[in-house]
Amino acid sequence: MKTERYGSLVFDCDGVVLNSNKVKTKAFYEAALPYGEGPAQALVDHHVANGGVSRYRKFEHFLNQIVPSDAVGPGLDELLDVYARKVREGLIECEADSGLFELREQTQSTSWSIVSGGDQAELRKVFSVRGLDQLFDGGIYGSPDTKDEILARELRAGRIVRPALFIGDSRYDHEASVNAGLDFVFVNQWTEFSGWKSYCDMHNVEFVASLRDLV
């Protein structure tokens, strides 16, 4: 795949730029554990089945659909606070893709953006601390806005330039790229989407193991 031909490259964060899917899965479980192991595991299952969807929607689903109506435990704000604290610690320390800087060197005239289901303020702080923010001259964006909303807004603003390539690791990443009219490539080395290969075959989606394979 010739990435140099694109005006913009749009990256999902978790499982693509950072090996952080497991960090967030563990944080969902631990934040929900005051309600018991069963509900906590049910939240994890919902999280894994809905990769790329914001934490706000997942915890709302947890409280409205999983937790028994008479259960006593932390509310939405407290769940989000506990989750954010655990994720922040993990994102600072987790592995970044080894091909990231080499790909940036190869695509110097292409704008780079992050479009993630993660919290936007948290993403910007973590990328700044890790010295990765300088790579993404098109901006770093996340929840509470959805990926569909972010892509539509940034295309209108001209900060994402067509032709553009979305690089993701979930079904939702692919669906968002299709909705926005972007090309898409699936990265599988850290994905939690167990049926990714069948999905890619069914939808004729190109895939690579890591960002290094795009260099």
Side-chain angles (χ1 to χ4, degrees):
M1 174 173 284
K2 293 188 179 299
T3 51
E4 303 94 321
R5 76 180 184 87
Y6 288 100
S8 294
L9 298 185
V10 179
F11 298 78
D12 177 43
C13 173
D14 300 315
V16 175
V17 175
L18 299 180
N19 183 10
S20 47
N21 280 329
K22 291 182 179 177
V23 169
K24 296 195 170 181
T25 299
K26 182 180 179 185
F28 272 115
Y29 183 83
E30 292 180 348
L33 203 51
Y35 285 99
E37 293 181 356
Q41 185 58 50
L43 174 60
V44 166
D45 294 343
H46 175 72
H47 157 64
V48 172
N50 293 274
V53 176
S54 79
R55 69 190 64 180
Y56 304 96
R57 292 190 175 186
K58 289 173 180 173
F59 277 120
E60 287 173 352
H61 174 86
F62 175 68
L63 292 173
N64 295 329
Q65 305 294 328
I66 296 175
V67 172
S69 58
D70 59 347
V72 177
L76 179 60
D77 289 343
E78 188 176 350
L79 288 168
L80 288 167
D81 286 345
V82 171
Y83 173 86
R85 185 174 67 251
K86 294 180 179 298
V87 165
R88 194 178 306 118
E89 296 168 356
L91 290 180
I92 295 295
E93 298 174 354
C94 69
E95 176 184 10
D97 190 286
S98 63
L100 191 62
F101 285 91
E102 197 171 342
L103 183 60
R104 177 73 274 193
E105 183 69 19
Q106 178 179 291
T107 57
Q108 294 184 31
S109 61
T110 304
S111 76
W112 279 27
S113 300
I114 291 285
V115 176
S116 170
D119 179 83
Q120 179 168 290
E122 178 183 275
L123 283 167
R124 290 177 175 178
K125 183 173 183 179
V126 167
F127 274 62
S128 176
V129 169
R130 297 188 61 145
L132 298 176
D133 55 335
Q134 59 188 319
L135 301 177
F136 298 92
D137 53 346
I140 297 172
Y141 309 105
S143 63
D145 293 339
T146 68
K147 294 183 181 182
D148 291 301
E149 292 168 341
I150 294 168
L151 290 173
R153 183 191 68 218
E154 297 307 312
L155 283 164
R156 284 196 305 272
R159 285 185 286 268
I160 295 176
V161 180
R162 299 182 192 277
L165 175 69
F166 194 118
I167 305 170
D169 76 328
S170 71
R171 180 198 305 264
Y172 179 39
D173 289 339
H174 178 237
E175 292 173 347
S177 76
V178 171
N179 292 339
L182 308 186
D183 290 347
F184 183 79
V185 62
F186 192 100
V187 176
N188 67 53
Q189 69 170 341
W190 296 321
T191 184
E192 290 190 323
F193 181 14
S194 60
W196 71 266
K197 182 62 166 56
S198 298
Y199 182 86
C200 288
D201 290 343
M202 182 181 300
H203 296 276
N204 295 316
V205 173
E206 188 170 347
F207 60 86
V208 294
S210 69
L211 298 182
R212 177 160 295 286
D213 292 336
L214 297 175
V215 175

